[in-house]
């Protein structure tokens, strides 16, 4: 079973992304997850977690660094993260013994969760006996997908990391690929390298 080091932005991502990655990979993966919940600390903290993964007594097959775009240009953020990583490993005898993939979600994890109204309907059906209709707008242009998902869930179902995990458990990755173009890039990073 492969082992992935996973560095994410926040607790909802910590709970939901392993579920989504398992679906993409089509098999069992063990995860070592390091969430960075401190606002503004992601850029400075993620290289230390990569170094921690390197020192573990288990083989890491791949490290994934996943961050939200939060209404900014994802390519610019990715470039900044890659530059920071290069600065941190400069002067080392060798790079990390595992591939490091950096991905920025447009806009947030909740964008991907909003893509599959049937997955959300499973949760709303279990807890509030109602279904959810498909959001017709371009999902990656929604400015505050977390707020939108909170609204879709309704007042009777608070959006928590566990709810994020449950939705992720139910999502169809093909639906997300169809509705969120940058998700296809993420899938490629999971399957390749």
């Amino acid at each position: 079973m492969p082992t992935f080091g996973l560095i994410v932005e926040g607790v909802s991502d910590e709970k939901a992304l392993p579920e989504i990655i398992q679906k993409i990979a089509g098999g069992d993966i063990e995860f070592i997850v390091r969430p960075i919940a401190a606002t503004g600390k992601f850029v400075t903290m993620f290289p230390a977690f990569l170094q921690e993964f390197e020192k573990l007594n288990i083989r890491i097959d791949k490290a994934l660094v996943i961050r939200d775009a939060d209404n900014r240009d994802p390519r610019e953020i990715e470039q900044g993260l890659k530059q920071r990583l290069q600065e941190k490993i400069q002067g080392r005898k060798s790079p990390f013994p595992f591939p490091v993939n950096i991905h920025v979600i447009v806009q947030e994890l909740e964008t991907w969760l909003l893509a599959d109204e049937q997955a959300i309907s499973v949760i709303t059906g279990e807890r509030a006996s109602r279904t959810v209709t498909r959001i017709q707008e371009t999902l990656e242009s929604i400015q505050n997908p977390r707020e939108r998902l909170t609204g879709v869930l309704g007042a009777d179902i608070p959006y928590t990391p566990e709810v994020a995990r449950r939705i992720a458990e139910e999502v169809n990755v093909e639906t997300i690929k169809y509705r969120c173009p940058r998700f296809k890039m993420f899938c490629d990073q999971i399957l390749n390298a």
Side-chain angles (χ1 to χ4, degrees):
M1 172 184 339
T3 300
F4 286 7
L6 185 58
I7 301 169
V8 298
E9 188 175 27
V11 182
S12 293
D13 295 47
E14 175 186 12
K15 298 291 185 188
L17 284 169
E19 297 288 342
I20 293 171
I21 293 167
Q22 294 270 17
K23 287 175 179 262
I24 294 166
D28 287 336
I29 299 170
E30 184 175 331
F31 292 94
I32 299 170
V33 185
R34 298 295 183 262
I36 301 174
T39 305
K41 297 289 185 184
F42 198 92
V43 172
T44 57
M45 291 179 70
F46 87 91
F49 285 134
L50 290 171
Q51 291 170 336
E52 177 190 333
F53 292 158
E54 184 177 35
K55 294 175 183 172
L56 295 174
N57 289 330
I58 59 171
R59 180 175 179 251
I60 300 290
D61 296 288
K62 184 182 299 192
L64 301 167
V65 179
I66 305 169
R67 183 169 181 189
D68 297 334
D70 294 321
N71 302 318
R72 294 178 299 169
D73 182 348
R75 293 174 298 262
E76 188 178 301
I77 297 169
E78 281 177 3
Q79 196 59 34
L81 292 172
K82 288 175 183 175
Q83 182 177 347
R84 175 71 175 164
L85 182 58
Q86 286 303 313
E87 291 168 3
K88 282 302 217 181
I89 63 174
Q90 194 169 13
R92 288 173 50 124
K93 292 179 185 174
S94 63
F96 293 105
F98 44 78
V100 176
N101 296 95
I102 296 173
H103 186 79
V104 176
I105 301 172
V106 178
Q107 296 295 333
E108 300 169 344
L109 164 71
E110 289 77 14
T111 303
W112 293 351
L113 300 180
L114 283 168
D116 190 344
E117 73 281 356
Q118 291 179 356
I120 300 169
S121 290
V122 169
I123 307 310
T124 60
E126 288 173 355
R127 297 191 182 187
S129 300
R130 61 182 167 78
T131 59
V132 173
T133 59
R134 176 172 270 214
I135 294 173
Q136 296 301 319
E137 61 199 279
T138 304
L139 294 175
E140 290 180 341
S141 67
I142 294 174
Q143 297 296 307
N144 293 303
R146 185 183 192 106
E147 285 178 22
R148 177 67 72 86
L149 181 56
T150 299
V152 167
L153 290 169
D156 48 349
I157 304 173
Y159 181 63
T160 64
E162 179 57 22
V163 169
R165 188 198 66 75
R166 282 284 295 120
I167 296 169
E169 187 177 64
E170 298 294 333
V171 295
N172 180 321
V173 294
E174 295 303 317
T175 301
I176 303 173
K177 279 186 199 176
Y178 177 74
R179 302 209 56 215
C180 301
R182 281 196 47 101
F183 183 73
K184 292 179 204 173
M185 294 170 57
F186 179 69
C187 292
D188 290 344
Q189 287 179 333
I190 300 302
L191 297 172
N192 301 316

CSV table of all heavy atoms in Angstrom, one decimal, residues 89-126:
chain,number,residue,atom,x,y,z
A,89,ILE,N,15.4,24.0,-0.1
A,89,ILE,CA,16.2,22.8,-0.4
A,89,ILE,C,17.6,23.2,-1.1
A,89,ILE,O,18.4,22.3,-1.3
A,89,ILE,CB,15.5,21.7,-1.3
A,89,ILE,CG1,15.1,22.3,-2.6
A,89,ILE,CG2,14.3,21.2,-0.5
A,89,ILE,CD1,14.5,21.2,-3.5
A,90,GLN,N,17.7,24.5,-1.3
A,90,GLN,CA,19.0,24.9,-1.9
A,90,GLN,C,20.1,24.6,-1.0
A,90,GLN,O,20.1,24.8,0.2
A,90,GLN,CB,18.9,26.4,-2.2
A,90,GLN,CG,20.0,26.9,-3.1
A,90,GLN,CD,19.8,28.4,-3.5
A,90,GLN,OE1,18.9,29.0,-2.9
A,90,GLN,NE2,20.5,28.8,-4.5
A,91,GLY,N,21.2,24.0,-1.6
A,91,GLY,CA,22.4,23.6,-0.7
A,91,GLY,C,22.3,22.2,-0.2
A,91,GLY,O,23.3,21.8,0.4
A,92,ARG,N,21.2,21.6,-0.3
A,92,ARG,CA,21.1,20.2,0.1
A,92,ARG,C,21.8,19.3,-0.8
A,92,ARG,O,21.9,19.6,-2.0
A,92,ARG,CB,19.6,19.7,0.2
A,92,ARG,CG,18.8,20.3,1.3
A,92,ARG,CD,17.4,20.0,1.2
A,92,ARG,NE,17.2,18.6,1.0
A,92,ARG,CZ,16.4,17.8,1.8
A,92,ARG,NH1,15.8,18.3,2.8
A,92,ARG,NH2,16.3,16.5,1.6
A,93,LYS,N,22.3,18.1,-0.3
A,93,LYS,CA,23.0,17.2,-1.2
A,93,LYS,C,22.1,16.6,-2.2
A,93,LYS,O,22.5,16.3,-3.3
A,93,LYS,CB,23.6,16.1,-0.3
A,93,LYS,CG,24.8,16.6,0.5
A,93,LYS,CD,25.3,15.5,1.4
A,93,LYS,CE,26.4,16.0,2.3
A,93,LYS,NZ,26.9,15.0,3.2
A,94,SER,N,20.8,16.4,-1.8
A,94,SER,CA,19.9,15.8,-2.8
A,94,SER,C,18.5,16.3,-2.4
A,94,SER,O,18.2,16.7,-1.3
A,94,SER,CB,19.9,14.3,-2.7
A,94,SER,OG,19.4,13.8,-1.4
A,95,PRO,N,17.6,16.3,-3.4
A,95,PRO,CA,16.2,16.7,-3.1
A,95,PRO,C,15.5,15.7,-2.3
A,95,PRO,O,16.2,14.7,-1.9
A,95,PRO,CB,15.5,16.8,-4.5
A,95,PRO,CG,16.4,15.9,-5.4
A,95,PRO,CD,17.8,15.9,-4.8
A,96,PHE,N,14.3,15.9,-2.0
A,96,PHE,CA,13.6,14.9,-1.2
A,96,PHE,C,13.5,13.5,-1.8
A,96,PHE,O,13.5,13.5,-3.1
A,96,PHE,CB,12.1,15.4,-0.9
A,96,PHE,CG,12.1,16.6,-0.1
A,96,PHE,CD1,11.8,17.8,-0.6
A,96,PHE,CD2,12.3,16.5,1.3
A,96,PHE,CE1,11.8,19.0,0.2
A,96,PHE,CE2,12.3,17.7,2.1
A,96,PHE,CZ,12.0,18.9,1.5
A,97,PRO,N,13.5,12.4,-1.1
A,97,PRO,CA,13.5,11.1,-1.7
A,97,PRO,C,12.1,10.7,-2.2
A,97,PRO,O,11.9,9.5,-2.5
A,97,PRO,CB,13.9,10.2,-0.5
A,97,PRO,CG,13.5,10.9,0.7
A,97,PRO,CD,13.6,12.4,0.4
A,98,PHE,N,11.2,11.6,-2.3
A,98,PHE,CA,9.9,11.4,-2.9
A,98,PHE,C,9.5,12.5,-3.7
A,98,PHE,O,10.0,13.7,-3.5
A,98,PHE,CB,8.9,11.2,-1.7
A,98,PHE,CG,9.0,12.2,-0.6
A,98,PHE,CD1,8.5,13.5,-0.7
A,98,PHE,CD2,9.7,11.8,0.6
A,98,PHE,CE1,8.7,14.4,0.3
A,98,PHE,CE2,9.8,12.7,1.6
A,98,PHE,CZ,9.3,14.0,1.5
A,99,PRO,N,8.6,12.3,-4.7
A,99,PRO,CA,8.2,13.5,-5.5
A,99,PRO,C,7.3,14.4,-4.6
A,99,PRO,O,6.5,13.9,-3.8
A,99,PRO,CB,7.4,12.8,-6.6
A,99,PRO,CG,7.1,11.4,-6.3
A,99,PRO,CD,8.1,11.1,-5.2
A,100,VAL,N,7.4,15.7,-4.9
A,100,VAL,CA,6.6,16.6,-4.2
A,100,VAL,C,5.7,17.3,-5.2
A,100,VAL,O,6.2,17.9,-6.2
A,100,VAL,CB,7.4,17.7,-3.5
A,100,VAL,CG1,6.5,18.8,-2.8
A,100,VAL,CG2,8.3,17.1,-2.4
A,101,ASN,N,4.4,17.2,-5.1
A,101,ASN,CA,3.4,17.8,-6.0
A,101,ASN,C,2.7,18.9,-5.2
A,101,ASN,O,2.2,18.7,-4.2
A,101,ASN,CB,2.4,16.8,-6.5
A,101,ASN,CG,3.0,15.7,-7.3
A,101,ASN,OD1,3.4,14.6,-6.8
A,101,ASN,ND2,3.2,16.0,-8.6
A,102,ILE,N,2.7,20.1,-5.9
A,102,ILE,CA,2.0,21.2,-5.3
A,102,ILE,C,0.8,21.5,-6.1
A,102,ILE,O,0.8,21.6,-7.4
A,102,ILE,CB,2.9,22.4,-5.3
A,102,ILE,CG1,4.1,22.2,-4.3
A,102,ILE,CG2,2.2,23.7,-4.8
A,102,ILE,CD1,5.2,23.2,-4.3
A,103,HIS,N,-0.4,21.7,-5.5
A,103,HIS,CA,-1.6,22.0,-6.2
A,103,HIS,C,-2.4,23.0,-5.4
A,103,HIS,O,-2.5,23.0,-4.2
A,103,HIS,CB,-2.5,20.7,-6.4
A,103,HIS,CG,-3.7,21.0,-7.2
A,103,HIS,ND1,-3.6,21.0,-8.6
A,103,HIS,CD2,-5.0,21.3,-6.9
A,103,HIS,CE1,-4.8,21.3,-9.1
A,103,HIS,NE2,-5.6,21.5,-8.1
A,104,VAL,N,-3.0,24.0,-6.2
A,104,VAL,CA,-3.8,25.0,-5.6
A,104,VAL,C,-5.2,24.8,-6.1
A,104,VAL,O,-5.5,24.8,-7.3
A,104,VAL,CB,-3.3,26.4,-5.9
A,104,VAL,CG1,-4.3,27.5,-5.4
A,104,VAL,CG2,-1.9,26.6,-5.3
A,105,ILE,N,-6.2,24.6,-5.2
A,105,ILE,CA,-7.6,24.4,-5.5
A,105,ILE,C,-8.2,25.8,-5.8
A,105,ILE,O,-8.1,26.7,-5.1
A,105,ILE,CB,-8.3,23.8,-4.3
A,105,ILE,CG1,-7.7,22.4,-4.0
A,105,ILE,CG2,-9.8,23.6,-4.7
A,105,ILE,CD1,-8.3,21.8,-2.7
A,106,VAL,N,-9.0,25.8,-6.9
A,106,VAL,CA,-9.7,27.0,-7.3
A,106,VAL,C,-11.2,26.8,-6.9
A,106,VAL,O,-11.8,25.8,-7.4
A,106,VAL,CB,-9.7,27.3,-8.8
A,106,VAL,CG1,-10.5,28.5,-9.2
A,106,VAL,CG2,-8.2,27.5,-9.2
A,107,GLN,N,-11.7,27.5,-6.0
A,107,GLN,CA,-11.3,28.5,-5.0
A,107,GLN,C,-10.9,27.8,-3.7
A,107,GLN,O,-9.9,28.2,-3.1
A,107,GLN,CB,-12.4,29.4,-4.8
A,107,GLN,CG,-12.9,30.3,-5.9
A,107,GLN,CD,-11.8,31.3,-6.4
A,107,GLN,OE1,-10.9,31.7,-5.7
A,107,GLN,NE2,-11.9,31.6,-7.7
A,108,GLU,N,-11.7,26.8,-3.3
A,108,GLU,CA,-11.4,26.1,-2.1
A,108,GLU,C,-11.9,24.7,-2.2
A,108,GLU,O,-12.6,24.4,-3.2
A,108,GLU,CB,-12.2,26.8,-0.9
A,108,GLU,CG,-12.0,28.2,-0.6
A,108,GLU,CD,-13.0,28.9,0.3
A,108,GLU,OE1,-14.1,28.3,0.5
A,108,GLU,OE2,-12.6,29.9,0.8
A,109,LEU,N,-11.6,23.9,-1.3
A,109,LEU,CA,-12.0,22.5,-1.3
A,109,LEU,C,-13.6,22.4,-1.5
A,109,LEU,O,-14.1,21.6,-2.2
A,109,LEU,CB,-11.7,21.8,0.1
A,109,LEU,CG,-12.5,20.5,0.4
A,109,LEU,CD1,-12.0,19.4,-0.5
A,109,LEU,CD2,-12.3,20.2,1.8
A,110,GLU,N,-14.3,23.4,-0.9
A,110,GLU,CA,-15.7,23.3,-1.0
A,110,GLU,C,-16.2,23.5,-2.4
A,110,GLU,O,-17.3,23.1,-2.8
A,110,GLU,CB,-16.3,24.4,-0.1
A,110,GLU,CG,-16.2,24.1,1.4
A,110,GLU,CD,-14.8,24.3,2.0
A,110,GLU,OE1,-14.0,25.0,1.3
A,110,GLU,OE2,-14.5,23.8,3.1
A,111,THR,N,-15.4,24.1,-3.3
A,111,THR,CA,-15.7,24.2,-4.7
A,111,THR,C,-15.9,22.8,-5.3
A,111,THR,O,-16.9,22.5,-6.0
A,111,THR,CB,-14.6,24.9,-5.5
A,111,THR,OG1,-14.4,26.2,-5.0
A,111,THR,CG2,-15.0,25.0,-7.0
A,112,TRP,N,-15.0,21.9,-5.0
A,112,TRP,CA,-15.1,20.5,-5.4
A,112,TRP,C,-16.3,19.8,-4.8
A,112,TRP,O,-17.0,19.0,-5.5
A,112,TRP,CB,-13.8,19.7,-5.1
A,112,TRP,CG,-12.6,20.2,-5.8
A,112,TRP,CD1,-12.6,21.1,-6.9
A,112,TRP,CD2,-11.3,19.8,-5.6
A,112,TRP,NE1,-11.3,21.2,-7.3
A,112,TRP,CE2,-10.5,20.4,-6.5
A,112,TRP,CE3,-10.7,18.9,-4.7
A,112,TRP,CZ2,-9.1,20.3,-6.5
A,112,TRP,CZ3,-9.3,18.7,-4.7
A,112,TRP,CH2,-8.5,19.4,-5.6
A,113,LEU,N,-16.6,20.0,-3.5
A,113,LEU,CA,-17.7,19.4,-2.9
A,113,LEU,C,-19.0,19.9,-3.5
A,113,LEU,O,-20.0,19.1,-3.7
A,113,LEU,CB,-17.7,19.7,-1.4
A,113,LEU,CG,-16.4,19.1,-0.7
A,113,LEU,CD1,-16.5,19.5,0.8
A,113,LEU,CD2,-16.2,17.7,-0.9
A,114,LEU,N,-19.1,21.1,-3.9
A,114,LEU,CA,-20.3,21.7,-4.5
A,114,LEU,C,-20.6,21.1,-5.9
A,114,LEU,O,-21.7,21.2,-6.4
A,114,LEU,CB,-20.2,23.2,-4.6
A,114,LEU,CG,-20.4,24.0,-3.4
A,114,LEU,CD1,-20.0,25.5,-3.6
A,114,LEU,CD2,-21.9,24.0,-2.9
A,115,ALA,N,-19.6,20.5,-6.5
A,115,ALA,CA,-19.7,20.0,-7.9
A,115,ALA,C,-20.7,18.8,-8.0
A,115,ALA,O,-21.3,18.6,-9.0
A,115,ALA,CB,-18.4,19.5,-8.4
A,116,ASP,N,-20.9,18.1,-6.9
A,116,ASP,CA,-21.7,16.9,-6.9
A,116,ASP,C,-22.9,17.0,-6.0
A,116,ASP,O,-22.8,16.7,-4.8
A,116,ASP,CB,-20.9,15.7,-6.6
A,116,ASP,CG,-21.6,14.4,-6.8
A,116,ASP,OD1,-22.8,14.4,-7.0
A,116,ASP,OD2,-20.9,13.3,-6.8
A,117,GLU,N,-24.0,17.5,-6.5
A,117,GLU,CA,-25.2,17.8,-5.7
A,117,GLU,C,-25.8,16.4,-5.2
A,117,GLU,O,-26.4,16.4,-4.2
A,117,GLU,CB,-26.2,18.5,-6.5
A,117,GLU,CG,-27.0,17.8,-7.6
A,117,GLU,CD,-26.2,17.7,-8.9
A,117,GLU,OE1,-25.1,18.2,-9.0
A,117,GLU,OE2,-26.7,17.0,-9.8
A,118,GLN,N,-25.5,15.3,-5.9
A,118,GLN,CA,-26.0,14.0,-5.4
A,118,GLN,C,-25.3,13.6,-4.1
A,118,GLN,O,-25.9,13.1,-3.2
A,118,GLN,CB,-25.9,13.0,-6.5
A,118,GLN,CG,-26.8,13.2,-7.7
A,118,GLN,CD,-26.7,12.2,-8.7
A,118,GLN,OE1,-25.8,11.3,-8.7
A,118,GLN,NE2,-27.5,12.3,-9.8
A,119,ALA,N,-24.0,13.9,-4.1
A,119,ALA,CA,-23.3,13.6,-2.8
A,119,ALA,C,-23.8,14.4,-1.7
A,119,ALA,O,-23.9,13.9,-0.6
A,119,ALA,CB,-21.8,13.9,-3.1
A,120,ILE,N,-24.0,15.7,-1.9
A,120,ILE,CA,-24.6,16.6,-0.9
A,120,ILE,C,-26.0,16.1,-0.5
A,120,ILE,O,-26.3,16.1,0.7
A,120,ILE,CB,-24.6,18.1,-1.3
A,120,ILE,CG1,-23.2,18.5,-1.7
A,120,ILE,CG2,-25.2,19.0,-0.3
A,120,ILE,CD1,-23.1,19.9,-2.4
A,121,SER,N,-26.7,15.7,-1.5
A,121,SER,CA,-28.1,15.2,-1.2
A,121,SER,C,-28.1,14.0,-0.3
A,121,SER,O,-29.1,13.8,0.5
A,121,SER,CB,-28.8,14.9,-2.5
A,121,SER,OG,-29.1,16.1,-3.2
A,122,VAL,N,-27.1,13.2,-0.4
A,122,VAL,CA,-27.0,12.0,0.5
A,122,VAL,C,-27.0,12.5,2.0
A,122,VAL,O,-27.7,12.0,2.9
A,122,VAL,CB,-25.7,11.1,0.3
A,122,VAL,CG1,-25.5,10.1,1.4
A,122,VAL,CG2,-25.9,10.5,-1.1
A,123,ILE,N,-26.2,13.6,2.2
A,123,ILE,CA,-26.0,14.1,3.6
A,123,ILE,C,-27.3,14.8,4.0
A,123,ILE,O,-27.8,14.6,5.1
A,123,ILE,CB,-24.8,15.1,3.7
A,123,ILE,CG1,-23.6,14.5,3.2
A,123,ILE,CG2,-24.7,15.7,5.1
A,123,ILE,CD1,-23.2,13.1,3.7
A,124,THR,N,-27.9,15.7,3.1
A,124,THR,CA,-29.1,16.4,3.5
A,124,THR,C,-30.3,15.4,3.6
A,124,THR,O,-31.2,15.6,4.3
A,124,THR,CB,-29.4,17.5,2.5
A,124,THR,OG1,-29.6,17.0,1.1
A,124,THR,CG2,-28.3,18.6,2.5
A,125,GLY,N,-30.2,14.3,2.8
A,125,GLY,CA,-31.3,13.3,2.9
A,125,GLY,C,-31.2,12.6,4.2
A,125,GLY,O,-32.3,12.3,4.8
A,126,GLU,N,-30.0,12.3,4.7
A,126,GLU,CA,-29.9,11.5,5.9
A,126,GLU,C,-30.3,12.4,7.1
A,126,GLU,O,-30.9,11.9,8.1
A,126,GLU,CB,-28.4,11.2,6.2
A,126,GLU,CG,-27.9,10.1,5.3
A,126,GLU,CD,-26.4,9.9,5.4
A,126,GLU,OE1,-25.7,10.6,6.1
A,126,GLU,OE2,-25.9,8.9,4.8
